[in-house]
Amino acid sequence: MITLVAAALLVALGTRLIHRLNAQHVARIAVHRFGGPYRYLSRPPVHNNPRPPERTADRRPTGTWP
């Protein structure tokens, strides 16, 4: 009889401990701010200042072709 009471008491204490640890874990997750998914796969920022078009008058001939 004493063994059954001791086992039931240990089970009750174990479940209480697991419940408290789970509550602490949930509280930590709730406080932490996660970033966007797959942040390391995101594209680089787009620059809105493209190069001006190259004018043909500014080019120098590079070959010997006539």
Side-chain angles (χ1 to χ4, degrees):
M1 184 69 170
I2 294 174
T3 305
L4 290 177
V5 171
L9 182 64
L10 285 175
V11 168
L13 289 175
T15 55
R16 175 73 177 148
L17 176 65
I18 290 172
H19 178 72
R20 289 185 65 197
L21 289 174
N22 192 25
Q24 285 179 355
H25 183 66
V26 168
R28 276 194 209 118
I29 289 175
V31 169
H32 185 72
R33 180 173 180 233
F34 291 98
Y38 306 114
R39 184 172 45 195
Y40 54 90
L41 293 177
S42 66
R43 296 179 182 176
V46 177
H47 299 290
N48 290 331
N49 53 356
R51 289 179 27 189
E54 185 178 336
R55 296 185 307 198
T56 56
D58 293 339
R59 284 197 252 159
R60 290 185 288 173
T62 57
T64 58
W65 188 69

mmCIF file of all heavy atoms in Angstrom, residues 15-64:
data_model
loop_
_atom_site.group_PDB
_atom_site.id
_atom_site.type_symbol
_atom_site.label_atom_id
_atom_site.label_comp_id
_atom_site.label_asym_id
_atom_site.label_seq_id
_atom_site.Cartn_x
_atom_site.Cartn_y
_atom_site.Cartn_z
ATOM 1 N N THR A 15 4.284 15.085 -13.038
ATOM 2 C CA THR A 15 3.413 15.807 -13.966
ATOM 3 C C THR A 15 3.370 17.294 -13.644
ATOM 4 O O THR A 15 3.323 18.134 -14.543
ATOM 5 C CB THR A 15 1.988 15.232 -13.949
ATOM 6 O OG1 THR A 15 1.491 15.241 -12.612
ATOM 7 C CG2 THR A 15 1.956 13.820 -14.487
ATOM 8 N N ARG A 16 3.421 17.631 -12.365
ATOM 9 C CA ARG A 16 3.446 19.056 -11.972
ATOM 10 C C ARG A 16 4.727 19.729 -12.469
ATOM 11 O O ARG A 16 4.700 20.852 -12.984
ATOM 12 C CB ARG A 16 3.319 19.158 -10.443
ATOM 13 C CG ARG A 16 3.433 20.534 -9.886
ATOM 14 C CD ARG A 16 2.191 21.343 -10.182
ATOM 15 N NE ARG A 16 2.334 22.655 -9.560
ATOM 16 C CZ ARG A 16 1.821 23.741 -10.060
ATOM 17 N NH1 ARG A 16 1.091 23.688 -11.130
ATOM 18 N NH2 ARG A 16 2.000 24.897 -9.474
ATOM 19 N N LEU A 17 5.844 19.032 -12.338
ATOM 20 C CA LEU A 17 7.127 19.575 -12.798
ATOM 21 C C LEU A 17 7.111 19.771 -14.320
ATOM 22 O O LEU A 17 7.541 20.818 -14.827
ATOM 23 C CB LEU A 17 8.271 18.643 -12.401
ATOM 24 C CG LEU A 17 9.660 19.037 -12.894
ATOM 25 C CD1 LEU A 17 10.107 20.344 -12.253
ATOM 26 C CD2 LEU A 17 10.654 17.932 -12.621
ATOM 27 N N ILE A 18 6.621 18.790 -15.056
ATOM 28 C CA ILE A 18 6.557 18.908 -16.513
ATOM 29 C C ILE A 18 5.639 20.054 -16.916
ATOM 30 O O ILE A 18 5.949 20.824 -17.839
ATOM 31 C CB ILE A 18 6.104 17.575 -17.127
ATOM 32 C CG1 ILE A 18 7.218 16.543 -16.975
ATOM 33 C CG2 ILE A 18 5.731 17.738 -18.592
ATOM 34 C CD1 ILE A 18 6.814 15.144 -17.364
ATOM 35 N N HIS A 19 4.525 20.213 -16.221
ATOM 36 C CA HIS A 19 3.600 21.301 -16.525
ATOM 37 C C HIS A 19 4.254 22.667 -16.309
ATOM 38 O O HIS A 19 4.118 23.572 -17.133
ATOM 39 C CB HIS A 19 2.345 21.171 -15.652
ATOM 40 C CG HIS A 19 1.358 22.272 -15.868
ATOM 41 N ND1 HIS A 19 0.601 22.374 -17.005
ATOM 42 C CD2 HIS A 19 1.017 23.334 -15.097
ATOM 43 C CE1 HIS A 19 -0.164 23.446 -16.919
ATOM 44 N NE2 HIS A 19 0.070 24.046 -15.773
ATOM 45 N N ARG A 20 4.984 22.822 -15.226
ATOM 46 C CA ARG A 20 5.662 24.100 -14.945
ATOM 47 C C ARG A 20 6.747 24.384 -15.969
ATOM 48 O O ARG A 20 6.908 25.530 -16.425
ATOM 49 C CB ARG A 20 6.241 24.091 -13.538
ATOM 50 C CG ARG A 20 5.177 24.162 -12.452
ATOM 51 C CD ARG A 20 5.766 24.264 -11.087
ATOM 52 N NE ARG A 20 6.480 25.535 -10.980
ATOM 53 C CZ ARG A 20 7.375 25.805 -10.038
ATOM 54 N NH1 ARG A 20 7.672 24.917 -9.129
ATOM 55 N NH2 ARG A 20 7.975 26.977 -10.001
ATOM 56 N N LEU A 21 7.525 23.362 -16.319
ATOM 57 C CA LEU A 21 8.574 23.570 -17.321
ATOM 58 C C LEU A 21 7.979 23.939 -18.685
ATOM 59 O O LEU A 21 8.523 24.790 -19.396
ATOM 60 C CB LEU A 21 9.444 22.318 -17.453
ATOM 61 C CG LEU A 21 10.368 22.029 -16.274
ATOM 62 C CD1 LEU A 21 11.050 20.686 -16.465
ATOM 63 C CD2 LEU A 21 11.391 23.133 -16.095
ATOM 64 N N ASN A 22 6.867 23.310 -19.031
ATOM 65 C CA ASN A 22 6.205 23.638 -20.290
ATOM 66 C C ASN A 22 5.690 25.078 -20.280
ATOM 67 O O ASN A 22 5.795 25.790 -21.282
ATOM 68 C CB ASN A 22 5.064 22.655 -20.547
ATOM 69 C CG ASN A 22 4.532 22.769 -21.951
ATOM 70 O OD1 ASN A 22 5.236 23.194 -22.851
ATOM 71 N ND2 ASN A 22 3.280 22.398 -22.134
ATOM 72 N N ALA A 23 5.150 25.530 -19.162
ATOM 73 C CA ALA A 23 4.656 26.909 -19.064
ATOM 74 C C ALA A 23 5.808 27.910 -19.201
ATOM 75 O O ALA A 23 5.664 28.950 -19.857
ATOM 76 C CB ALA A 23 3.928 27.104 -17.743
ATOM 77 N N GLN A 24 6.958 27.600 -18.619
ATOM 78 C CA GLN A 24 8.117 28.485 -18.750
ATOM 79 C C GLN A 24 8.579 28.550 -20.208
ATOM 80 O O GLN A 24 8.935 29.611 -20.719
ATOM 81 C CB GLN A 24 9.272 27.989 -17.883
ATOM 82 C CG GLN A 24 9.106 28.253 -16.414
ATOM 83 C CD GLN A 24 10.287 27.712 -15.625
ATOM 84 O OE1 GLN A 24 11.173 27.065 -16.171
ATOM 85 N NE2 GLN A 24 10.283 27.969 -14.325
ATOM 86 N N HIS A 25 8.573 27.400 -20.868
ATOM 87 C CA HIS A 25 9.005 27.362 -22.266
ATOM 88 C C HIS A 25 8.065 28.177 -23.151
ATOM 89 O O HIS A 25 8.516 28.935 -24.023
ATOM 90 C CB HIS A 25 9.055 25.906 -22.733
ATOM 91 C CG HIS A 25 9.544 25.727 -24.128
ATOM 92 N ND1 HIS A 25 10.832 26.013 -24.507
ATOM 93 C CD2 HIS A 25 8.923 25.293 -25.237
ATOM 94 C CE1 HIS A 25 10.977 25.778 -25.791
ATOM 95 N NE2 HIS A 25 9.824 25.330 -26.261
ATOM 96 N N VAL A 26 6.777 28.061 -22.930
ATOM 97 C CA VAL A 26 5.802 28.822 -23.715
ATOM 98 C C VAL A 26 5.976 30.321 -23.468
ATOM 99 O O VAL A 26 5.888 31.126 -24.388
ATOM 100 C CB VAL A 26 4.366 28.348 -23.381
ATOM 101 C CG1 VAL A 26 3.333 29.305 -23.937
ATOM 102 C CG2 VAL A 26 4.135 26.958 -23.916
ATOM 103 N N ALA A 27 6.274 30.695 -22.221
ATOM 104 C CA ALA A 27 6.480 32.111 -21.911
ATOM 105 C C ALA A 27 7.713 32.651 -22.627
ATOM 106 O O ALA A 27 7.714 33.782 -23.124
ATOM 107 C CB ALA A 27 6.606 32.298 -20.409
ATOM 108 N N ARG A 28 8.781 31.855 -22.701
ATOM 109 C CA ARG A 28 9.985 32.295 -23.405
ATOM 110 C C ARG A 28 9.731 32.461 -24.896
ATOM 111 O O ARG A 28 10.208 33.410 -25.518
ATOM 112 C CB ARG A 28 11.108 31.272 -23.208
ATOM 113 C CG ARG A 28 11.850 31.466 -21.938
ATOM 114 C CD ARG A 28 13.147 30.682 -21.947
ATOM 115 N NE ARG A 28 13.461 30.331 -20.569
ATOM 116 C CZ ARG A 28 13.555 29.103 -20.104
ATOM 117 N NH1 ARG A 28 13.391 28.089 -20.900
ATOM 118 N NH2 ARG A 28 13.825 28.894 -18.849
ATOM 119 N N ILE A 29 8.980 31.538 -25.473
ATOM 120 C CA ILE A 29 8.684 31.631 -26.901
ATOM 121 C C ILE A 29 7.816 32.856 -27.182
ATOM 122 O O ILE A 29 8.002 33.544 -28.186
ATOM 123 C CB ILE A 29 7.989 30.342 -27.384
ATOM 124 C CG1 ILE A 29 8.991 29.204 -27.386
ATOM 125 C CG2 ILE A 29 7.395 30.522 -28.772
ATOM 126 C CD1 ILE A 29 8.390 27.864 -27.718
ATOM 127 N N ALA A 30 6.876 33.158 -26.299
ATOM 128 C CA ALA A 30 5.981 34.298 -26.512
ATOM 129 C C ALA A 30 6.742 35.618 -26.471
ATOM 130 O O ALA A 30 6.393 36.565 -27.172
ATOM 131 C CB ALA A 30 4.878 34.300 -25.460
ATOM 132 N N VAL A 31 7.802 35.704 -25.683
ATOM 133 C CA VAL A 31 8.568 36.951 -25.550
ATOM 134 C C VAL A 31 9.498 37.145 -26.743
ATOM 135 O O VAL A 31 9.713 38.264 -27.197
ATOM 136 C CB VAL A 31 9.373 36.937 -24.228
ATOM 137 C CG1 VAL A 31 10.368 38.075 -24.187
ATOM 138 C CG2 VAL A 31 8.432 37.023 -23.053
ATOM 139 N N HIS A 32 10.046 36.045 -27.261
ATOM 140 C CA HIS A 32 11.027 36.137 -28.337
ATOM 141 C C HIS A 32 10.356 36.584 -29.631
ATOM 142 O O HIS A 32 9.298 36.098 -29.999
ATOM 143 C CB HIS A 32 11.704 34.787 -28.548
ATOM 144 C CG HIS A 32 12.799 34.819 -29.549
ATOM 145 N ND1 HIS A 32 14.004 35.424 -29.296
ATOM 146 C CD2 HIS A 32 12.871 34.346 -30.799
ATOM 147 C CE1 HIS A 32 14.762 35.312 -30.363
ATOM 148 N NE2 HIS A 32 14.092 34.657 -31.288
ATOM 149 N N ARG A 33 10.989 37.531 -30.324
ATOM 150 C CA ARG A 33 10.465 38.017 -31.604
ATOM 151 C C ARG A 33 11.232 37.336 -32.720
ATOM 152 O O ARG A 33 12.426 37.543 -32.901
ATOM 153 C CB ARG A 33 10.638 39.525 -31.702
ATOM 154 C CG ARG A 33 10.106 40.069 -32.992
ATOM 155 C CD ARG A 33 10.132 41.583 -33.008
ATOM 156 N NE ARG A 33 9.619 42.046 -34.271
ATOM 157 C CZ ARG A 33 10.254 42.895 -35.057
ATOM 158 N NH1 ARG A 33 11.403 43.395 -34.682
ATOM 159 N NH2 ARG A 33 9.730 43.262 -36.189
ATOM 160 N N PHE A 34 10.531 36.544 -33.488
ATOM 161 C CA PHE A 34 11.165 35.834 -34.580
ATOM 162 C C PHE A 34 11.158 36.701 -35.830
ATOM 163 O O PHE A 34 10.265 37.496 -36.037
ATOM 164 C CB PHE A 34 10.402 34.524 -34.867
ATOM 165 C CG PHE A 34 10.547 33.520 -33.772
ATOM 166 C CD1 PHE A 34 9.568 33.385 -32.809
ATOM 167 C CD2 PHE A 34 11.671 32.718 -33.696
ATOM 168 C CE1 PHE A 34 9.699 32.468 -31.798
ATOM 169 C CE2 PHE A 34 11.809 31.799 -32.691
ATOM 170 C CZ PHE A 34 10.827 31.669 -31.742
ATOM 171 N N GLY A 35 12.165 36.521 -36.682
ATOM 172 C CA GLY A 35 12.224 37.251 -37.939
ATOM 173 C C GLY A 35 11.361 36.582 -38.987
ATOM 174 O O GLY A 35 10.644 35.622 -38.728
ATOM 175 N N GLY A 36 11.445 37.082 -40.206
ATOM 176 C CA GLY A 36 10.678 36.508 -41.298
ATOM 177 C C GLY A 36 11.196 35.133 -41.658
ATOM 178 O O GLY A 36 12.336 34.779 -41.358
ATOM 179 N N PRO A 37 10.393 34.346 -42.299
ATOM 180 C CA PRO A 37 10.846 33.009 -42.688
ATOM 181 C C PRO A 37 11.901 33.087 -43.775
ATOM 182 O O PRO A 37 11.809 33.896 -44.691
ATOM 183 C CB PRO A 37 9.570 32.333 -43.186
ATOM 184 C CG PRO A 37 8.699 33.455 -43.626
ATOM 185 C CD PRO A 37 9.033 34.611 -42.703
ATOM 186 N N TYR A 38 12.898 32.279 -43.675
ATOM 187 C CA TYR A 38 13.973 32.177 -44.661
ATOM 188 C C TYR A 38 14.621 33.535 -44.921
ATOM 189 O O TYR A 38 14.784 33.949 -46.058
ATOM 190 C CB TYR A 38 13.445 31.580 -45.965
ATOM 191 C CG TYR A 38 12.739 30.276 -45.756
ATOM 192 C CD1 TYR A 38 11.378 30.154 -45.986
ATOM 193 C CD2 TYR A 38 13.434 29.168 -45.313
ATOM 194 C CE1 TYR A 38 10.729 28.971 -45.790
ATOM 195 C CE2 TYR A 38 12.792 27.977 -45.101
ATOM 196 C CZ TYR A 38 11.435 27.871 -45.349
ATOM 197 O OH TYR A 38 10.790 26.701 -45.147
ATOM 198 N N ARG A 39 14.995 34.210 -43.878
ATOM 199 C CA ARG A 39 15.606 35.525 -44.025
ATOM 200 C C ARG A 39 16.911 35.444 -44.814
ATOM 201 O O ARG A 39 17.273 36.350 -45.538
ATOM 202 C CB ARG A 39 15.862 36.117 -42.644
ATOM 203 C CG ARG A 39 16.406 37.518 -42.694
ATOM 204 C CD ARG A 39 16.465 38.154 -41.356
ATOM 205 N NE ARG A 39 17.002 37.243 -40.372
ATOM 206 C CZ ARG A 39 16.915 37.433 -39.080
ATOM 207 N NH1 ARG A 39 16.343 38.501 -38.617
ATOM 208 N NH2 ARG A 39 17.410 36.567 -38.239
ATOM 209 N N TYR A 40 17.638 34.334 -44.695
ATOM 210 C CA TYR A 40 18.901 34.208 -45.391
ATOM 211 C C TYR A 40 18.717 33.989 -46.893
ATOM 212 O O TYR A 40 19.659 34.081 -47.646
ATOM 213 C CB TYR A 40 19.730 33.067 -44.801
ATOM 214 C CG TYR A 40 19.000 31.752 -44.742
ATOM 215 C CD1 TYR A 40 19.051 30.860 -45.795
ATOM 216 C CD2 TYR A 40 18.250 31.408 -43.628
ATOM 217 C CE1 TYR A 40 18.378 29.675 -45.758
ATOM 218 C CE2 TYR A 40 17.575 30.216 -43.571
ATOM 219 C CZ TYR A 40 17.647 29.344 -44.641
ATOM 220 O OH TYR A 40 16.974 28.161 -44.580
ATOM 221 N N LEU A 41 17.498 33.714 -47.360
ATOM 222 C CA LEU A 41 17.247 33.533 -48.780
ATOM 223 C C LEU A 41 16.646 34.777 -49.437
ATOM 224 O O LEU A 41 16.290 34.747 -50.600
ATOM 225 C CB LEU A 41 16.286 32.359 -49.005
ATOM 226 C CG LEU A 41 16.828 30.987 -48.649
ATOM 227 C CD1 LEU A 41 15.750 29.934 -48.859
ATOM 228 C CD2 LEU A 41 18.040 30.645 -49.479
ATOM 229 N N SER A 42 16.539 35.849 -48.701
ATOM 230 C CA SER A 42 15.898 37.039 -49.259
ATOM 231 C C SER A 42 16.799 37.676 -50.316
ATOM 232 O O SER A 42 18.002 37.508 -50.334
ATOM 233 C CB SER A 42 15.574 38.046 -48.162
ATOM 234 O OG SER A 42 16.771 38.538 -47.599
ATOM 235 N N ARG A 43 16.185 38.438 -51.173
ATOM 236 C CA ARG A 43 16.914 39.102 -52.251
ATOM 237 C C ARG A 43 17.580 40.368 -51.726
ATOM 238 O O ARG A 43 17.102 40.978 -50.786
ATOM 239 C CB ARG A 43 15.958 39.465 -53.372
ATOM 240 C CG ARG A 43 15.344 38.266 -54.017
ATOM 241 C CD ARG A 43 14.399 38.682 -55.102
ATOM 242 N NE ARG A 43 13.779 37.499 -55.674
ATOM 243 C CZ ARG A 43 12.852 37.524 -56.585
ATOM 244 N NH1 ARG A 43 12.412 38.686 -57.044
ATOM 245 N NH2 ARG A 43 12.336 36.421 -57.059
ATOM 246 N N PRO A 44 18.660 40.779 -52.362
ATOM 247 C CA PRO A 44 19.294 42.033 -51.940
ATOM 248 C C PRO A 44 18.381 43.210 -52.255
ATOM 249 O O PRO A 44 17.529 43.124 -53.134
ATOM 250 C CB PRO A 44 20.578 42.090 -52.765
ATOM 251 C CG PRO A 44 20.344 41.178 -53.907
ATOM 252 C CD PRO A 44 19.373 40.121 -53.436
ATOM 253 N N PRO A 45 18.561 44.317 -51.569
ATOM 254 C CA PRO A 45 17.704 45.472 -51.819
ATOM 255 C C PRO A 45 17.897 46.006 -53.234
ATOM 256 O O PRO A 45 18.981 45.995 -53.784
ATOM 257 C CB PRO A 45 18.153 46.503 -50.781
ATOM 258 C CG PRO A 45 19.499 46.065 -50.355
ATOM 259 C CD PRO A 45 19.543 44.575 -50.519
ATOM 260 N N VAL A 46 16.821 46.502 -53.802
ATOM 261 C CA VAL A 46 16.850 47.034 -55.165
ATOM 262 C C VAL A 46 17.174 48.519 -55.091
ATOM 263 O O VAL A 46 16.576 49.261 -54.335
ATOM 264 C CB VAL A 46 15.485 46.815 -55.851
ATOM 265 C CG1 VAL A 46 15.497 47.423 -57.238
ATOM 266 C CG2 VAL A 46 15.157 45.348 -55.897
ATOM 267 N N HIS A 47 18.130 48.937 -55.901
ATOM 268 C CA HIS A 47 18.492 50.355 -55.943
ATOM 269 C C HIS A 47 17.676 51.025 -57.043
ATOM 270 O O HIS A 47 17.558 50.521 -58.150
ATOM 271 C CB HIS A 47 19.980 50.533 -56.209
ATOM 272 C CG HIS A 47 20.823 49.922 -55.143
ATOM 273 N ND1 HIS A 47 20.907 50.432 -53.877
ATOM 274 C CD2 HIS A 47 21.611 48.820 -55.130
ATOM 275 C CE1 HIS A 47 21.707 49.696 -53.155
ATOM 276 N NE2 HIS A 47 22.148 48.697 -53.888
ATOM 277 N N ASN A 48 17.156 52.179 -56.760
ATOM 278 C CA ASN A 48 16.318 52.885 -57.720
ATOM 279 C C ASN A 48 17.085 53.938 -58.512
ATOM 280 O O ASN A 48 16.497 54.863 -59.041
ATOM 281 C CB ASN A 48 15.132 53.545 -57.002
ATOM 282 C CG ASN A 48 14.166 52.507 -56.504
ATOM 283 O OD1 ASN A 48 14.049 51.434 -57.082
ATOM 284 N ND2 ASN A 48 13.474 52.828 -55.440
ATOM 285 N N ASN A 49 18.382 53.804 -58.572
ATOM 286 C CA ASN A 49 19.170 54.770 -59.329
ATOM 287 C C ASN A 49 19.955 54.031 -60.424
ATOM 288 O O ASN A 49 21.135 53.810 -60.306
ATOM 289 C CB ASN A 49 20.102 55.565 -58.415
ATOM 290 C CG ASN A 49 20.946 54.664 -57.554
ATOM 291 O OD1 ASN A 49 20.802 53.454 -57.569
ATOM 292 N ND2 ASN A 49 21.851 55.262 -56.804
ATOM 293 N N PRO A 50 19.284 53.674 -61.539
ATOM 294 C CA PRO A 50 19.991 52.947 -62.598
ATOM 295 C C PRO A 50 20.997 53.852 -63.304
ATOM 296 O O PRO A 50 20.892 55.073 -63.274
ATOM 297 C CB PRO A 50 18.870 52.520 -63.552
ATOM 298 C CG PRO A 50 17.791 53.516 -63.313
ATOM 299 C CD PRO A 50 17.901 53.909 -61.859
ATOM 300 N N ARG A 51 21.943 53.233 -63.960
ATOM 301 C CA ARG A 51 22.947 54.010 -64.706
ATOM 302 C C ARG A 51 22.290 54.710 -65.872
ATOM 303 O O ARG A 51 21.392 54.172 -66.500
ATOM 304 C CB ARG A 51 24.033 53.076 -65.230
ATOM 305 C CG ARG A 51 24.919 52.556 -64.151
ATOM 306 C CD ARG A 51 25.977 51.624 -64.684
ATOM 307 N NE ARG A 51 26.326 51.883 -66.074
ATOM 308 C CZ ARG A 51 27.105 51.090 -66.788
ATOM 309 N NH1 ARG A 51 27.587 50.001 -66.274
ATOM 310 N NH2 ARG A 51 27.378 51.388 -68.043
ATOM 311 N N PRO A 52 22.747 55.899 -66.200
ATOM 312 C CA PRO A 52 22.189 56.576 -67.379
ATOM 313 C C PRO A 52 22.573 55.800 -68.634
ATOM 314 O O PRO A 52 23.626 55.163 -68.684
ATOM 315 C CB PRO A 52 22.842 57.953 -67.350
ATOM 316 C CG PRO A 52 24.037 57.802 -66.496
ATOM 317 C CD PRO A 52 23.748 56.695 -65.532
ATOM 318 N N PRO A 53 21.751 55.846 -69.665
ATOM 319 C CA PRO A 53 22.083 55.106 -70.888
ATOM 320 C C PRO A 53 23.356 55.653 -71.517
ATOM 321 O O PRO A 53 23.622 56.857 -71.506
ATOM 322 C CB PRO A 53 20.870 55.330 -71.787
ATOM 323 C CG PRO A 53 20.170 56.510 -71.227
ATOM 324 C CD PRO A 53 20.497 56.565 -69.772
ATOM 325 N N GLU A 54 24.128 54.772 -72.058
ATOM 326 C CA GLU A 54 25.398 55.160 -72.677
ATOM 327 C C GLU A 54 25.136 55.760 -74.059
ATOM 328 O O GLU A 54 24.360 55.223 -74.840
ATOM 329 C CB GLU A 54 26.288 53.927 -72.811
ATOM 330 C CG GLU A 54 27.661 54.239 -73.328
ATOM 331 C CD GLU A 54 28.521 52.993 -73.391
ATOM 332 O OE1 GLU A 54 28.242 52.050 -72.655
ATOM 333 O OE2 GLU A 54 29.455 52.987 -74.197
ATOM 334 N N ARG A 55 25.766 56.871 -74.321
ATOM 335 C CA ARG A 55 25.600 57.521 -75.623
ATOM 336 C C ARG A 55 26.646 56.976 -76.588
ATOM 337 O O ARG A 55 27.786 56.734 -76.206
ATOM 338 C CB ARG A 55 25.730 59.020 -75.477
ATOM 339 C CG ARG A 55 24.617 59.599 -74.604
ATOM 340 C CD ARG A 55 24.698 61.093 -74.566
ATOM 341 N NE ARG A 55 26.048 61.512 -74.169
ATOM 342 C CZ ARG A 55 26.356 62.711 -73.723
ATOM 343 N NH1 ARG A 55 25.413 63.625 -73.611
ATOM 344 N NH2 ARG A 55 27.566 63.035 -73.399
ATOM 345 N N THR A 56 26.272 56.826 -77.846
ATOM 346 C CA THR A 56 27.207 56.289 -78.835
ATOM 347 C C THR A 56 28.332 57.268 -79.136
ATOM 348 O O THR A 56 29.416 56.874 -79.531
ATOM 349 C CB THR A 56 26.468 55.926 -80.138
ATOM 350 O OG1 THR A 56 25.778 57.073 -80.603
ATOM 351 C CG2 THR A 56 25.498 54.791 -79.901
ATOM 352 N N ALA A 57 28.113 58.575 -78.921
ATOM 353 C CA ALA A 57 29.158 59.563 -79.197
ATOM 354 C C ALA A 57 30.286 59.454 -78.169
ATOM 355 O O ALA A 57 31.415 59.856 -78.450
ATOM 356 C CB ALA A 57 28.567 60.978 -79.178
ATOM 357 N N ASP A 58 30.000 58.934 -76.995
ATOM 358 C CA ASP A 58 31.039 58.841 -75.959
ATOM 359 C C ASP A 58 31.915 57.607 -76.139
ATOM 360 O O ASP A 58 32.968 57.515 -75.489
ATOM 361 C CB ASP A 58 30.379 58.764 -74.562
ATOM 362 C CG ASP A 58 29.675 60.070 -74.215
ATOM 363 O OD1 ASP A 58 30.016 61.108 -74.829
ATOM 364 O OD2 ASP A 58 28.804 60.048 -73.333
ATOM 365 N N ARG A 59 31.533 56.689 -76.997
ATOM 366 C CA ARG A 59 32.305 55.468 -77.158
ATOM 367 C C ARG A 59 33.488 55.689 -78.088
ATOM 368 O O ARG A 59 33.408 56.440 -79.070
ATOM 369 C CB ARG A 59 31.433 54.371 -77.755
ATOM 370 C CG ARG A 59 30.501 53.790 -76.725
ATOM 371 C CD ARG A 59 29.975 52.475 -77.234
ATOM 372 N NE ARG A 59 28.574 52.632 -77.606
ATOM 373 C CZ ARG A 59 27.933 51.832 -78.423
ATOM 374 N NH1 ARG A 59 28.535 50.853 -79.007
ATOM 375 N NH2 ARG A 59 26.664 52.047 -78.686
ATOM 376 N N ARG A 60 34.572 55.045 -77.752
ATOM 377 C CA ARG A 60 35.746 55.081 -78.625
ATOM 378 C C ARG A 60 35.835 53.757 -79.355
ATOM 379 O O ARG A 60 35.515 52.717 -78.778
ATOM 380 C CB ARG A 60 37.009 55.317 -77.800
ATOM 381 C CG ARG A 60 37.086 56.713 -77.222
ATOM 382 C CD ARG A 60 38.387 56.913 -76.540
ATOM 383 N NE ARG A 60 38.353 56.115 -75.299
ATOM 384 C CZ ARG A 60 39.380 55.949 -74.499
ATOM 385 N NH1 ARG A 60 40.533 56.481 -74.778
ATOM 386 N NH2 ARG A 60 39.267 55.240 -73.400
ATOM 387 N N PRO A 61 36.342 53.769 -80.568
ATOM 388 C CA PRO A 61 36.511 52.490 -81.272
ATOM 389 C C PRO A 61 37.571 51.657 -80.580
ATOM 390 O O PRO A 61 38.608 52.167 -80.147
ATOM 391 C CB PRO A 61 36.926 52.885 -82.675
ATOM 392 C CG PRO A 61 37.361 54.299 -82.593
ATOM 393 C CD PRO A 61 36.698 54.901 -81.399
ATOM 394 N N THR A 62 37.321 50.370 -80.472
ATOM 395 C CA THR A 62 38.268 49.512 -79.759
ATOM 396 C C THR A 62 39.000 48.564 -80.689
ATOM 397 O O THR A 62 40.013 48.003 -80.316
ATOM 398 C CB THR A 62 37.537 48.687 -78.687
ATOM 399 O OG1 THR A 62 36.504 47.945 -79.318
ATOM 400 C CG2 THR A 62 36.968 49.581 -77.599
ATOM 401 N N GLY A 63 38.501 48.342 -81.912
ATOM 402 C CA GLY A 63 39.142 47.397 -82.804
ATOM 403 C C GLY A 63 39.675 48.043 -84.062
ATOM 404 O O GLY A 63 39.676 49.278 -84.209
ATOM 405 N N THR A 64 40.144 47.229 -84.990
ATOM 406 C CA THR A 64 40.663 47.740 -86.258
ATOM 407 C C THR A 64 39.682 47.560 -87.376
ATOM 408 O O THR A 64 40.011 47.762 -88.544
ATOM 409 C CB THR A 64 41.972 47.017 -86.600
ATOM 410 O OG1 THR A 64 41.720 45.608 -86.669
ATOM 411 C CG2 THR A 64 43.038 47.314 -85.562
#
